[in-house]
């Protein structure tokens, strides 16, 4: 357990994340947690994820569940035994300091200042004389609930040895300028260095003095990437001067109650399943890399002792109010912006699927004894849509201020319905992937999206999107373009059609494609030509196998 207060910040998950909603604190207030324990669950604009503790300590949340805060906002603290939550200025209070509810510097003011900082509104003034709260901030960070930056400047010099927490401090006697050109190091209350626990671990493992590293995190906080960048920029002969020969002192040991979760590498999902099934993880042999326990490792231990209650994504009922936050809010904003900013219209086009249905039946038989996945009808459509974009690059483009940019790569997004919304996983370089690989990738990404474990980077970068409502019995619809693209292809249900041969009717298998395109970038004729190319590929689907 850490012997100093450690900030819990809302992590930035993916390049596009701006804010997140705290859905649930998974640990009660005041409970001891170990590094790696699942601390809370957050909902972003794309995924719901569990956040693990970066250090050990006693949890003190400062933002309640249900609150939406920006990425990087302070949402809680991990405290040492007997340590009180920091006051609004960010200074941890010793035990017995009288931090009562509603007093200046107590939990009530910490809660309000944290919420104010998260929402962008100013912190409320207490109006109590001598309470240590000025009428307005006079230094960076004052009155915000965050520690004001302190510049150590030339005070950062030779290593004096480790503190009780295992963090190397600098002696002010002999100064050494940072070699990474980062300038002064940011320090927190009482001169404590602002650095993430992971950055401290990386620095200690490499013997790096953190006072020489420039922090790029919130309020100058040093993150692990800063340490790695610093190490990468060190000249060979300079490394010894910034490394300590003093043995590293480890942090306080993990309390026995939480020690089991730090014995083995375990994901939050596996840890939660083990808890639901009453499985002792210390008795499970992990088969993953480095002995990591996988979800499949829990199966031999037996079924769940009792079904876990469903906390989220229950079916909406009359009278419910569904907040426009998280994924739902993002969908609402993006779809509204899409229709406001683009000139969208939709073509409908009927395509013959007889050859695809016949080929798929043959593949079922011929690939039955192989590991090749049999493509679904949607997989054939994904491949045809991607391949046709090579012939019609106007549909694989994006509109920017300076013009229409035709894109080199075809990264195909496909819509997946998930509880509470929609996700669009991305198959990279779909035009050059063989059909079995598209089938395998699409299945894996769709399953990961439905289970809420898809990596955020697999939801970014689509250059064209395919969405299907055929499974719901829909023939034709008008899909809305994913912002950043110029077109989206909708797929209807497979149904019986009729084609006349002379005077005889012939039963066929058909479906309707719905292509919505941005008329700023694409005219009606090129859009129709694209649909015709997709139809031709589906009429002769052997070309789609490679």
């Amino acid at each position: 357990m850490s012997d100093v207060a450690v900030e819990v910040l809302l992590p930035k998950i993916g390049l596009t994340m701006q804010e997140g909603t705290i859905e649930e604190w998974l640990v009660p207030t005041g409970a001891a947690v170990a590094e790696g324990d699942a601390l809370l669950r957050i909902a972003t604009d794309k995924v719901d994820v569990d956040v693990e503790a970066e250090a050990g300590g006693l949890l003190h949340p400062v933002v309640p569940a249900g609150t939406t805060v920006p990425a990087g906002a302070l949402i809680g603290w991990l405290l040492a035994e007997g340590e009180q939550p920091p006051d609004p200025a960010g200074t941890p209070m010793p035990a017995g300091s009288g931090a009562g509810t509603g007093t200046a510097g107590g939990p009530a003011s910490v809660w309000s200042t944290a919420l104010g900082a998260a929402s962008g509104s100013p912190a409320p003034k207490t109006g109590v004389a001598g309470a240590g709260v000025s009428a307005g901030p006079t230094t960076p960070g004052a009155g915000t609930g965050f520690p004001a930056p302190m510049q150590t400047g030339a005070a950062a010099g030779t290593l004096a040895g480790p503190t009780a927490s295992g963090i190397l401090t600098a002696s002010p006697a002999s100064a050494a300028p940072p070699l990474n050109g980062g300038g002064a190091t940011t320090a927190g209350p009482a001169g404590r260095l602002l650095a993430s626990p992971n950055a401290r671990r990386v620095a200690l493992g490499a013997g790096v003095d953190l006072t020489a590293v420039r922090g790029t995190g919130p309020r100058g906080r040093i993150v692990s990437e800063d340490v790695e960048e610093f190490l990468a920029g060190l000249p060979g002969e300079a490394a010894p001067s910034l490394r300590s020969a003093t043995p590293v002192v480890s942090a306080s040991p993990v309390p026995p109650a939480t020690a089991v979760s730090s014995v083995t590498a375990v994901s939050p999902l596996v840890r939660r399943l083990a808890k639901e099934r009453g499985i002792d993880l210390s008795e499970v042999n992990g088969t993953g890399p480095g002995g990591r326990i996988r979800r499949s490792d829990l199966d031999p231990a037996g079924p769940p002792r009792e079904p876990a209650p469903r906390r989220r994504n229950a079916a909406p009922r009359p009278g419910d109010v569904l907040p426009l936050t998280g994924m739902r809010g993002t969908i609402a904003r993006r779809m509204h912006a899409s229709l406001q900013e683009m000139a969208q219209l939709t073509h409908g086009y009927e395509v013959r699927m007889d050859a695809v249905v016949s080929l798929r039946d043959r593949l079922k038989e011929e690939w039955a004894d192989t590991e090749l996945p049999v493509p679904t009808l949607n997989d054939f459509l994904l491949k045809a849509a991607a391949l046709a974009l090579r012939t019609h690059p106007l549909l694989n483009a994006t509109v920017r201020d300076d013009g229409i940019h035709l894109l080199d790569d075809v990264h195909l997004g496909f819509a997946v319905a998930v509880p509470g919304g929609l996700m669009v996983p991305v198959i990279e370089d779909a035009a050059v992937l063989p059909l079995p690989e598209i089938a395998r990738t699409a299945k894996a990404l769709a399953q990961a999206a439905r289970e809420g474990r898809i990596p955020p980077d697999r939801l970014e970068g689509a250059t064209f999107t395919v969405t299907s409502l055929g499974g719901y019995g829909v023939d034709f619809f008008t899909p809305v373009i994913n912002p950043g693209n110029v077109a989206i292809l909708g797929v209807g249900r497979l149904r019986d059609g009729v084609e006349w041969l002379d005077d005889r009717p012939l039963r066929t298998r058909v479906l309707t494609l719905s292509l919505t395109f941005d008329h700023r970038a694409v005219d009606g004729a090129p859009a129709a030509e694209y649909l015709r190319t997709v139809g031709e590929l589906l009429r002769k689907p052997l070309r789609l196998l490679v």
Side-chain angles (χ1 to χ4, degrees), residues 63-318:
V63 176
T67 306
T68 299
V69 296
L74 175 71
I75 58 175
W77 295 90
L78 294 174
L79 307 173
E81 188 72 37
E83 187 178 23
Q84 295 295 320
D87 64 14
T91 305
M93 295 181 294
S97 60
T101 302
T103 61
S109 59
V110 171
W111 193 279
S112 61
T113 51
L115 288 177
S119 62
S121 58
K125 302 178 179 62
T126 63
V128 179
V133 181
S134 62
T138 57
T139 58
T144 64
F146 298 112
M150 235 168 61
Q151 304 298 328
T152 59
T158 55
L159 299 174
T163 65
S165 64
I167 303 301
L168 298 177
T169 59
S171 168
S174 56
L179 296 186
N180 63 346
T185 304
T186 301
R192 183 162 57 88
L193 207 62
L194 290 180
S196 72
N198 194 44
R200 296 173 188 258
R201 286 193 299 271
V202 174
L204 287 172
V208 171
D209 178 9
L210 280 174
T211 60
V213 180
R214 179 176 63 89
T216 62
R219 304 178 307 286
R221 190 174 192 246
I222 299 173
V223 295
S224 58
E225 289 82 358
D226 298 329
V227 181
E228 293 168 357
E229 182 179 350
F230 173 75
L231 285 170
L234 283 179
E237 64 276 6
S241 65
L242 289 167
R243 298 176 183 264
S244 170
T246 310
V248 172
V249 179
S250 63
S252 303
V254 176
T258 59
V260 69
S261 59
S262 62
V263 171
T264 306
V266 185
S267 72
L269 174 62
V270 171
R271 187 179 292 109
R272 186 166 59 252
L273 288 175
K275 183 178 180 180
E276 292 171 357
R277 301 181 183 185
I279 298 174
D280 184 356
L281 287 175
S282 64
E283 298 178 358
V284 178
N285 294 322
T287 60
R292 186 177 181 87
I293 297 177
R294 296 173 170 171
R295 184 177 182 179
S296 59
D297 297 330
L298 303 182
D299 294 336
R305 297 187 177 180
E306 59 181 56
R310 189 173 183 180
R311 301 189 307 266
R312 313 177 49 255
N313 298 323
R317 297 176 297 179

Side-chain angles (χ1 to χ4, degrees), residues 335-500:
M335 294 299 97
H336 183 262
S338 175
L339 291 173
Q340 289 287 320
E341 297 169 2
M342 300 186 201
Q344 300 189 26
L345 69 156
T346 304
H347 282 348
Y349 191 86
E350 187 174 275
V351 297
R352 287 277 300 269
M353 296 293 290
D354 303 80
V356 171
V357 173
S358 176
L359 176 59
R360 186 170 183 272
D361 290 340
R362 285 175 51 195
L363 295 179
K364 284 182 182 179
E365 296 179 4
E366 296 178 9
W367 291 1
D369 298 328
T370 72
E371 295 182 356
L372 292 172
V374 178
T376 65
L377 295 181
N378 275 340
D379 295 331
F380 279 97
L381 284 156
L382 290 173
K383 177 64 176 181
L387 203 56
L389 290 173
R390 285 300 189 199
T391 309
H392 305 277
L394 281 177
L395 279 298
N396 192 59
T398 187
V399 177
R400 299 173 186 165
D401 291 340
D402 61 340
I404 303 167
H405 291 241
L406 307 187
L407 305 175
D408 292 327
D409 301 317
V410 176
H411 301 320
L412 195 65
F414 64 101
V416 177
V418 298
L422 194 72
M423 290 187 184
V424 183
V426 179
I427 303 174
E428 296 181 350
D429 299 316
V432 298
L433 290 180
L435 184 58
E437 187 60 30
I438 285 183
R440 184 180 292 110
T441 303
K443 181 179 179 180
L445 289 175
Q447 183 176 351
R450 296 187 184 102
E451 295 176 356
R453 56 179 179 80
I454 187 169
D457 60 351
R458 298 310 302 266
L459 298 171
E460 299 173 350
T463 62
F464 185 92
T465 305
V466 176
T467 179
S468 174
L469 289 178
Y472 299 92
V474 175
D475 289 333
F476 174 83
F477 57 106
T478 55
V480 178
I481 299 173
N482 198 23
N485 298 166
V486 298
I488 181 172
L489 183 67
V491 180
R493 70 182 175 102
L494 184 69
R495 66 187 191 278
D496 288 339
V498 177
E499 183 174 293
W500 290 88

